[in-house]
Amino acid sequence: MTQIIHKDVGTLGDLVGCHPELIHLCDEKQIDFCCGGDRSITEICRARGWDADDFLAEVRARIKSGEDGPVPTFETGQVAPLIDYILDRFHAGHRRDFEALVQMAGKVWEVHGAKWPRMGVLSQLIDHLIKDICPHMLKEEQILFPMMLTQDQGRQGPVMCPSGGPAGPIAVMRKEHENVGELLASLAVVTDQFTPPTWACPTFRSMFALLKQLSEEIRLHVHLENNVLFPMAAKGKSNVPGG
């Protein structure tokens, strides 16, 4: 997978998909590379008031450094390996984290709810996040991913992709990703960027650490789907019999 490094060519999502090491640069500069990855470097810099050439120099330097990214790079056509990676790391991982998070949040609410008034809002946000993501993952597992795998198999043989292909479900998933992104932003605000109070007990601190880790993992999850997997499916559609 290659990407021309130019401020007006391609989107940030495309660039990060080819060079996952840029995720660290995006985090440092608080740039949304997952749900907001459909913008060019020029658009991002114009919105921030940055010099695009200076930022582009930082991008090239980070790529040249050889730094490892937090997720692997997947080549065009690696639909099945990418789906397996998403299922193993993110779907299974989110479910484990949610279970631990609910237990910790319950303990913190019981012991510190009165001392930290924002705990009620935080508990509601956690509940909304879980109720958004768990059904979302099920729809991917039961509908979208099998459809994508059928389409991918169709490139090599007579397997027919269901009528309409995955475009419709992908549009729904993208919209749901935006909703999750808004919840993550709200979580960051309520927790002061996941910074626990100075008086917080070990369970309280562990809850904030898990929330931060979960937020980072969800953003990586959304990035791999929005900027890597979904474009793969769009490119493969024309090669599918009947597609």
Side-chain angles (χ1 to χ4, degrees):
M1 185 187 302
T2 59
Q3 173 70 28
I4 298 173
I5 312 300
H6 188 278
K7 61 185 177 182
D8 292 313
V9 176
T11 66
L12 178 66
D14 293 335
L15 190 58
V16 173
C18 294
H19 301 283
E21 62 271 27
L22 294 177
I23 290 172
H24 297 308
L25 179 63
C26 291
D27 285 341
E28 291 166 13
K29 294 186 174 294
Q30 297 184 337
I31 301 171
D32 180 6
F33 62 89
C34 49
C35 291
D38 58 348
R39 299 165 296 162
S40 70
I41 287 178
T42 295
E43 291 173 312
I44 292 167
C45 291
R46 185 183 297 121
R48 296 289 188 95
W50 297 342
D51 183 281
D53 290 322
D54 288 345
F55 180 66
L56 190 61
E58 290 189 66
V59 167
R60 288 172 172 154
R62 190 62 62 97
I63 292 171
K64 189 176 180 180
S65 71
E67 174 187 358
D68 290 332
V71 291
T73 300
F74 289 88
E75 299 294 333
T76 300
Q78 290 186 307
V79 173
L82 177 50
I83 286 176
D84 285 342
Y85 182 83
I86 289 170
L87 291 173
D88 291 342
R89 175 171 174 176
F90 298 115
H91 285 215
H94 294 344
R95 288 180 174 117
R96 287 193 302 269
D97 288 344
F98 285 151
E99 183 176 353
L101 185 60
V102 167
Q103 292 178 358
M104 283 190 281
K107 292 180 181 178
V108 172
W109 173 266
E110 182 179 351
V111 177
H112 300 294
K115 188 174 182 180
W116 197 67
R118 282 181 282 176
M119 191 61 213
V121 176
L122 179 58
S123 294
Q124 290 179 348
L125 287 172
I126 291 171
D127 184 61
H128 288 325
L129 186 67
I130 292 172
K131 287 181 177 178
D132 272 20
I133 291 183
C134 287
H136 174 91
M137 292 191 298
L138 276 177
K139 283 184 280 189
E140 290 182 338
E141 293 163 2
Q142 296 176 359
I143 300 171
L144 179 58
F145 289 172
M147 192 178 293
M148 286 182 167
L149 291 170
T150 297
Q151 173 180 278
D152 191 50
Q153 293 168 9
R155 296 177 187 177
Q156 305 298 327
V159 179
M160 297 295 288
C161 190
S163 177
I170 284 175
V172 173
M173 296 299 100
R174 285 187 182 276
K175 180 60 180 175
E176 292 182 0
H177 286 167
E178 292 177 9
N179 296 337
V180 168
E182 292 173 1
L183 284 172
L184 294 180
S186 297
L187 278 170
V189 170
V190 168
T191 60
D192 294 326
Q193 301 299 319
F194 309 104
T195 305
T198 55
W199 49 261
C201 69
T203 301
F204 203 141
R205 293 181 180 278
S206 295
M207 179 184 70
F208 269 48
L210 181 56
L211 274 170
K212 182 179 180 181
Q213 174 187 312
L214 183 58
S215 176
E216 291 169 353
E217 286 292 289
I218 291 171
R219 288 166 63 238
L220 292 174
H221 180 180
V222 170
H223 156 67
L224 279 180
E225 291 186 353
N226 276 7
N227 302 325
V228 184
L229 180 61
F230 295 167
M232 275 188 196
K235 291 177 182 177
K237 187 174 187 294
S238 62
N239 295 327
V240 180

